[in-house]
Amino acid sequence: MNQQIRIVKEEILSDNWYVLKKITFMRPNKEGKWNVQAREAYDRGNGATILLFNREKQTVILTRQFRMPTYVNGNESGLLIESCAGLLDQDNAENCIIRETEEETGYRVTSIQKIGEAYMSPGSVTEMLYFYTAEYSDHMRVGDGGGLEEEQENIEVLEYSFEQALNMVKNGEIKDAKTIMLLQYAQINRLLEPKRAQHILIAGPYRSGTGDDPHLIEQNVNLMNAMAIAVYEKGHLPVLGEWYALPLIEQAGSQAIGDDIFNRIFHPSSIRLLQSCDAVLRIGGPSQGADEMVRIAMEQGKIIYKEISEIHSII
């Protein structure tokens, strides 16, 4: 617990649907003086949301339903286009979203990918939302969806082309934050691109943390080589900057790690190599060089992977 926060009093303002509390607390200001403040917090539990996408058809599944808060704040119809979502209740996020997907959309998915989690309105609502993606196909549809009648849900299932959905974000037809985040994630990470072999640069520590001990450097290289094999077995073409740089450095007459020839070739050659790659897989511990490769790759619009599990197999 944060020792800089002292809860003085909690008052329940409403417990009709979920719990609205007024919380009085103390926390020190910049000068160290303790101040009393009060805030309201609405606790509706945590939730999960998912983007269903079909790479072959280039489509996504969304939903449309009535949302009263939007109706009283400028949404004339009250209808909102959203990604499938639901509250966890007592379930874990993964089981929850698999269940909600079938209830709301009629699709039974089994292979889902977690992409992150976020507080959606931290100024007033306690909810943490867990984000997922999953591929769907027509044979996965086991029902009509629409939600549960006992929960008074009346959900319309929508299938849009991915391009149309992105345009709907631009023109304001899609205004739901979680849906926008998922669609932009899919766009940035090229989820709907046809499956093809990617040229993936493995970026990890080479000298970092080794004190230039050759045995420790060798361990770092072996780790990257092992990851390259894993990438290859998924059907992609891996590459290490070291595979290009080290033979060039030796041929150029370098006498020691870190000499002028080494520095002139080692990192710059990886930057050149990156231009011919589709993605970067960042592995291992701290490394300024590897982090620089990630930064440059992001600027160039490359895909950034942080775990081997994020790379889809194409074989």
Side-chain angles (χ1 to χ4, degrees), residues 51-89:
L51 180 68
L52 301 181
F53 67 95
N54 184 297
R55 185 178 284 108
E56 183 179 352
K57 296 197 299 182
Q58 291 290 293
T59 53
V60 294
I61 295 292
L62 300 176
T63 64
R64 179 161 47 209
Q65 58 184 306
F66 181 78
R67 296 297 197 184
M68 175 57 76
T70 75
Y71 180 71
V72 299
N73 190 29
N75 182 3
E76 291 185 1
S77 69
L79 296 173
L80 203 65
I81 297 173
E82 308 176 42
S83 55
C84 171
L87 293 177
L88 304 191
D89 297 323

Side-chain angles (χ1 to χ4, degrees), residues 46-49 86-100 112 114 130 132:
N46 296 326
T49 185
L87 293 177
L88 304 191
D89 297 323
Q90 301 302 315
D91 215 342
N92 63 50
E94 183 172 322
N95 291 338
C96 164
I97 201 57
I98 291 174
R99 180 188 69 247
E100 290 290 339
I112 66 175
K114 182 181 178 183
Y130 299 89
Y132 293 88

Side-chain angles (χ1 to χ4, degrees), residues 5-10 23-26:
I5 305 296
R6 299 176 183 173
I7 303 296
V8 177
K9 182 171 58 174
E10 294 187 13
I23 302 173
T24 304
F25 62 98
M26 298 178 64

